[in-house]
């Protein structure tokens, strides 16, 4: 192999690597990778075997594409290690719920409904209401709270707090 051929081959390999690196960097913002945090969790007993949990949280969408919440799956891990999945409260009922149960405090953020969208390059603070079919004591003494939000295109974000 001649010296010129080796240099040409090295330059060609370098150009291919630079091309694919630039392609990756330019398309990275088109990939949905949301992040977030749980800011606050409030608990209210509705009936002896029914408890409402309000989860205030923030979501960051740094991509160019919109995040659309196809599924919202909330659950807690109880003191004895069991996972209990809750049912979402209707977003439209949350304002009435806060007025009916003043001990929950104020409604700090708007609810995130199913099919709710978060535009690209936005940070939002929202909430969800979740119903658990257990006494309030079980929910209040939980080990953790997790909220999994899945986009219609497949990617998801999982937020966990106490």
């Amino acid at each position: 192999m001649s010296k010129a051929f080796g240099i040409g081959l090295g330059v060609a390999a370098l150009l291919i690597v630079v091309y694919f690196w630039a392609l990756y960097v330019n398309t990275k913002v088109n990939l949905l990778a949301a992040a977030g945090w749980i800011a606050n969790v409030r608990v209210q007993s509705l009936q002896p075997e029914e408890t409402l949990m309000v989860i205030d949280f923030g979501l960051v969408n740094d991509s160019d594409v919109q995040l659309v919440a196809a599924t919202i799956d909330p659950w807690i891990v109880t003191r004895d290690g069991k996972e209990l999945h809750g049912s979402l409260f209707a977003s439209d009922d949350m304002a009435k719920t806060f007025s009916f149960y003043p001990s929950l405090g104020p409604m700090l953020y708007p609810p995130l409904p199913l099919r709710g969208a978060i535009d690209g390059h936005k940070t939002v603070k929202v909430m969800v209401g979740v119903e658990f079919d257990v006494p309030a004591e079980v929910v209040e003494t939980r080990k953790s709270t997790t909220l999994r939000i899945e986009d219609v295109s497949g990617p998801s974000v999982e937020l966990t707090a106490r």
Side-chain angles (χ1 to χ4, degrees):
M1 175 162 51
S2 71
K3 185 176 181 179
F5 179 75
I7 291 173
L9 187 63
V11 168
L14 181 65
L15 288 174
I16 291 171
V17 168
V18 167
Y19 171 76
F20 282 109
W21 177 79
L23 187 66
Y24 170 74
V25 168
N26 288 332
T27 60
K28 186 177 175 183
V29 293
N30 292 331
L31 303 175
L32 188 59
W37 67 94
I38 293 178
N40 193 21
V41 177
R42 298 176 269 176
V43 176
Q44 172 68 47
S45 176
L46 302 177
Q47 295 179 8
E49 292 290 321
E50 189 176 349
T51 304
L52 169 66
M53 174 186 277
V54 175
I55 304 172
D56 297 314
F57 61 100
L59 284 175
V60 179
N61 181 2
D62 280 340
S63 69
D64 284 341
V65 295
Q66 193 177 56
L67 181 146
V68 179
T71 61
I72 301 173
D73 183 19
W75 72 87
I76 61 170
V77 175
T78 63
R79 186 175 18 172
D80 58 357
K82 286 190 343 186
E83 277 190 8
L84 294 177
H85 289 261
S87 305
L88 287 179
F89 250 54
S91 299
D92 294 338
D93 292 341
M94 289 309 297
K96 277 190 293 187
T97 302
F98 275 90
S99 65
F100 195 67
Y101 295 103
S103 62
L104 279 172
M107 187 168 156
L108 301 173
Y109 309 113
L112 176 66
L114 283 175
R115 299 291 184 191
I118 299 165
D119 292 331
H121 302 288
K122 297 280 185 193
T123 299
V124 297
K125 293 181 180 175
V126 288
M127 57 154 262
V128 292
V130 183
E131 178 188 339
F132 290 97
D133 294 329
V134 294
E137 179 191 344
V138 173
V139 177
E140 289 170 345
T141 60
R142 69 195 178 277
K143 286 184 180 178
S144 67
T145 302
T146 303
L147 184 62
R148 185 175 191 273
I149 301 167
E150 186 173 338
D151 181 67
V152 291
S153 64
S156 63
V157 60
E158 208 167 275
L159 316 172
T160 302
R162 152 97 181 67

